[in-house]
Amino acid sequence: MICWPFFFDQMVNSRFISKVWRIGVDVKDTCDRATVGRKVKEVMEGERAETMRKNVIGLSEMVREYVEEGGSSRIHLDQLIDDIRALSLEASPSR
């Protein structure tokens, strides 16, 4: 992924993508034709591109684990849904 953050949360997202998860590169403030070309080559070719691919595979495996039946995100989402349902039952008038 090539990131060119412009405002608000894009700066944080770009930092996570390039520095924390290491699945892309940040273009920063300058973006001309040559810069874009270099960044495209960086994410498509070479050792850094291979590292990014491996990181993406690792992240996708983690996400699958978290959202499948019994995964932590799945459990928390189910709990949230149950809580919302319980609140809506409490708030509805008795008939």
Side-chain angles (χ1 to χ4, degrees):
M1 185 179 296
I2 300 173
C3 303
W4 185 18
F6 187 64
F7 56 84
F8 302 121
D9 64 331
Q10 294 174 355
M11 307 294 181
V12 175
N13 295 340
S14 179
R15 175 67 61 147
F16 266 85
I17 288 166
S18 63
K19 301 293 183 195
V20 178
W21 298 327
R22 293 176 295 166
I23 60 172
V25 294
D26 191 356
V27 175
K28 301 273 187 237
D29 301 329
T30 335
C31 192
D32 56 18
R33 180 181 218 122
T35 302
V36 172
R38 281 193 310 276
K39 295 298 181 176
V40 168
K41 285 184 180 181
E42 191 174 335
V43 299
M44 299 293 291
E45 302 171 352
E47 186 176 318
R48 183 146 185 216
E50 187 60 33
T51 300
M52 284 186 264
R53 281 188 198 96
K54 288 177 184 177
N55 291 341
V56 167
I57 291 168
L59 284 172
S60 68
E61 289 170 357
M62 275 195 310
V63 169
R64 281 190 187 95
E65 180 182 321
Y66 295 150
V67 299
E68 69 185 10
E69 192 70 36
S72 62
S73 292
R74 181 72 169 267
I75 290 169
H76 292 119
L77 178 60
D78 291 342
Q79 288 173 345
L80 175 64
I81 291 168
D82 292 343
D83 290 347
I84 292 170
R85 284 183 179 151
L87 287 172
S88 68
L89 290 175
E90 291 173 12
S92 65
S94 315
R95 293 185 185 178

